[in-house]
Amino acid sequence: MGNHGGAKGTSEGHHREAHSGRTSRQDPRVQKVDDRLARIAKEAKDPKTRHRRYNNLVWMVQEATLEESFYQLKKKAAVGVDRVTWEAYEARLEENIGRLYRRMKSMGYWPKPLRRAYIPKGNGKKRSLGIPTVEDKIVQHVFAKILMAIYEGLFVDESHGYRPKRGCHTALKAVDRHMRDRRTNWVIDADIKGFFDNVDHDVMMRMLEKRISDWRFLEYIRRMLKSGVMEEGEVRGTEKGTPQGGIISPVLANIYLHYGLDLWLKWIEEKVKGKVAHVRYADDFVIFVEREETVEWLREALRKRMKAIKLEISEEKTKVVETGPRAYERWKRGGGRKPGVFQFLGFDVYCTTTKRGRYRPGMRTSGKRFRRSLKRCKEWLKKHRSEPIKEIWRKLTVMLKGYYNYYGINGNYDRIRKFLRAVKRLIYKWLNRRSQKKTWKRYEEFARYLERYPLPKPRIVVQIWS
């Protein structure tokens, strides 16, 4: 077996490439737009101006801003229905951007249908993605930037998905904080049925009109929503939904659930007796409740609220869990049931104790996510086992570092260590099937090989609690 070293993993991010001449970032028109967006973002945080409506937003869609957005796209992203790659679009960039800008200015721009693609889910089903063309990604990027400036200052603290300086781990920290609160006795683990596929376009537009009065800007968003989907050569119209995969979809989803769910729950929190609080990441959310009589009332109210915004709660996936400090103490004294467990963002959230015996919430990789990750690793090894082992090791290193970066939270070390052990067994199994002659005759030989060329060790990356 050839000698190889442990290649360092690199995270694929957005590329900003240098190109001939003056970059769009140096263009004074871009700076003018950025200054205007900064003022809008500041106004959103000011109580006196936070409800201002904005007109003439389309002027910010200029050749320079379109070009800047192009260089912020992922170079190796999947292509749309026209099969035009990032490199092919760049080869005639000035001409392409100029033509796009003229169409945008004259209201002659119509987004192309999204290319339908599917990625596997853990339950054997597949999640659909809608992949825009390079040109449509450019426009969506510009529009998403404008929308973020308008709405980011309005979003509530309970919203964590697709926002700057927020993410899955900040949402988990918020869950930990509520699970430590002695007023948390019940958790409603809610699930919206097919959220991204069922966003109502008319409701979406009415929500946008609360802050935007530029009919051209709104019309272009409506065209994006109505652009259709191409699958197996056939184009189908989209009467509802904002397909996952589009750059603008996350911010539209946050706007929809800001008005449809977050503000409504904030209003509920002020009206009911006892604690009601929530944490949301995209369309995943949990509600923390103090009083038992509030739980069923709130579940029914939630059904009605979802119906009002043309969505539906998944009854089979939504559950109520009795949990929290008091429930745990009653159980330890023998006076109640064992506190329940609920899932959030790929983690089981449960009750446990510190080494000193004090109550604290615990979080561990959920069994479903653990098995899903192992299945993906197995399928990848099975497919790529014939590649040079140096390349296999490089990709496994990247995969494991990514896994630790997400699941490496304090209290979850045993699970990520168990995951590494399971991955090692998969490697031993599938790399021994590279040919009729086994790579390692015994596991002890494989273990010695791992000592020479180790895989990344499990590590805690994020401190959810201290």
Side-chain angles (χ1 to χ4, degrees), residues 261-274:
L261 179 68
D262 292 339
L263 294 184
W264 177 78
L265 279 172
K266 296 289 282 184
W267 176 78
I268 291 290
E269 291 167 18
E270 297 175 357
K271 297 297 180 182
V272 301
K273 293 182 179 179

Side-chain angles (χ1 to χ4, degrees), residues 239-433:
E239 297 304 317
K240 60 181 180 179
T242 170
Q244 291 173 275
I247 294 174
I248 202 171
S249 292
V251 64
L252 290 179
N254 267 343
I255 293 169
Y256 201 95
L257 290 176
H258 169 73
Y259 288 112
L261 179 68
D262 292 339
L263 294 184
W264 177 78
L265 279 172
K266 296 289 282 184
W267 176 78
I268 291 290
E269 291 167 18
E270 297 175 357
K271 297 297 180 182
V272 301
K273 293 182 179 179
K275 173 182 177 176
V276 172
H278 77 287
V279 177
R280 180 176 68 82
Y281 183 93
D283 60 324
D284 294 329
F285 65 100
V286 286
I287 306 174
F288 303 90
V289 185
E290 180 177 356
R291 296 172 176 248
E292 185 175 3
E293 61 268 23
T294 304
V295 173
E296 280 307 313
W297 174 84
L298 187 55
R299 284 192 68 172
E300 182 58 32
L302 186 60
R303 293 188 194 102
K304 293 178 180 178
R305 180 57 184 172
M306 290 296 104
K307 186 177 180 180
I309 59 172
K310 306 296 180 67
L311 294 174
E312 185 179 354
I313 288 292
S314 174
E315 298 296 339
E316 61 272 17
K317 294 183 179 180
T318 298
K319 63 177 182 179
V320 175
V321 175
E322 185 177 8
T323 186
R326 291 179 178 176
Y328 185 77
E329 291 167 4
R330 283 197 303 271
W331 173 67
K332 292 295 286 186
R333 293 196 301 265
R337 294 175 297 179
K338 184 176 182 179
V341 178
F342 64 94
Q343 286 75 43
F344 188 61
L345 300 181
F347 289 88
D348 288 336
V349 184
Y350 62 101
C351 297
T352 185
T353 55
T354 65
K355 292 180 179 179
R356 296 183 178 181
R358 295 179 180 177
Y359 164 84
R360 72 163 175 83
M363 296 181 188
R364 63 187 174 222
T365 312
S366 71
K368 184 170 70 173
R369 288 292 186 92
F370 187 92
R371 291 188 295 272
R372 183 194 302 181
S373 298
L374 272 185
K375 183 180 179 182
R376 287 178 179 170
C377 183
K378 184 190 86 170
E379 291 172 349
W380 185 87
L381 282 167
K382 184 178 179 180
K383 182 178 179 181
H384 297 275
R385 65 182 185 270
S386 297
E387 291 185 7
I389 195 165
K390 182 177 180 180
E391 183 64 15
I392 291 174
W393 235 247
R394 186 187 69 81
K395 291 179 179 177
L396 285 171
T397 296
V398 173
M399 181 204 70
L400 286 169
K401 286 184 176 180
Y403 190 87
Y404 302 154
N405 285 341
Y406 185 78
Y407 290 104
I409 66 173
N410 47 349
N412 196 40
Y413 185 80
D414 287 344
R415 282 288 172 99
I416 59 176
R417 184 175 59 182
K418 181 180 177 182
F419 181 78
L420 177 61
R421 288 199 300 263
V423 168
K424 288 178 180 179
R425 289 194 294 269
L426 288 173
I427 297 170
Y428 178 71
K429 174 181 177 179
W430 288 106
L431 294 197
N432 261 342
R433 298 186 179 186

